[in-house]
Amino acid sequence: MNPLERVTPRRAAPSDAESVADLYLRARRAAAATGTIPPLRHDDDEVRNWIAQSVIASLECWLAESGAGTVVGMLVLDGDWIDQLYVDPDLTRAGVGAELVSVAKRERPAGLRLWTFTSNEGAQRFYLRHGFREVSRTDGSDNEERAPDIQYVWSPTVGLR
């Protein structure tokens, strides 16, 4: 995909489970390899089952699709939480994540919350650029990876006085 090419957001369907899992695994592995986030705590089969049986079947999963029909980003909403947001590692900083955050804001106009690892400084800058603000930090004892994290919130009224 040309980095300047626009992506099209759409809801995921059960038939997308394999491509969503492939993207998730590729993005997580690339980020873990650079130390940006902790490594996965589940094997590929567990991840693929989770994507098919939970993420797509029970949550609100949105995809960013290239003009060629390739899944290049995924967004998972669970209530007012951005539960997952991953972009093809070859397309970071190409606007895919921004497009998916726009979808999240459109779908949850009252506000959003999310967690990101403290080690993921790129994600921290990304969310701040998109109007989120930090509200808390933890030592990671409550997350699966046991890695320190930061909670961010976005509200349409943040910054207005």
Side-chain angles (χ1 to χ4, degrees), residues 8-152:
T8 303
R10 68 171 178 84
R11 285 291 296 269
S15 60
D16 293 311
E18 184 176 349
S19 58
V20 172
D22 288 344
L23 170 72
Y24 177 85
L25 289 165
R26 194 168 57 255
R28 285 290 308 242
R29 286 193 180 112
T34 64
T36 304
I37 64 173
L40 281 167
R41 309 243 329 159
H42 300 279
D43 66 31
D44 288 10
D45 288 339
E46 291 172 317
V47 169
R48 290 180 187 289
N49 185 56
W50 169 69
I51 294 284
Q53 302 301 319
S54 181
V55 170
I56 292 178
S58 302
L59 300 174
E60 187 176 336
C61 184
W62 288 84
L63 306 179
E65 198 170 63
S66 72
T70 304
V71 174
V72 296
M74 65 176 286
L75 163 73
V76 179
L77 297 172
D78 185 2
D80 65 349
W81 287 93
I82 293 179
D83 188 60
Q84 308 288 328
L85 177 61
Y86 287 98
V87 172
D88 183 306
D90 294 332
L91 295 173
T92 56
R93 297 182 187 88
V96 177
E99 183 70 32
L100 290 170
V101 166
S102 293
V103 169
K105 289 177 177 179
R106 181 190 74 215
E107 296 297 313
R108 303 295 188 275
L112 292 160
R113 300 182 287 168
L114 63 89
W115 290 99
T116 192
F117 296 110
T118 58
S119 57
N120 194 345
E121 294 176 357
Q124 293 170 46
R125 288 188 300 272
F126 173 82
Y127 290 118
L128 289 170
R129 259 193 328 271
H130 288 278
F132 287 77
R133 65 181 172 82
E134 180 180 327
V135 293
S136 66
R137 289 180 179 244
T138 78
D139 63 4
S141 59
D142 289 335
N143 68 45
E144 188 172 49
E145 293 85 356
R146 302 293 182 250
D149 53 8
I150 304 169
Q151 184 182 11
Y152 286 91

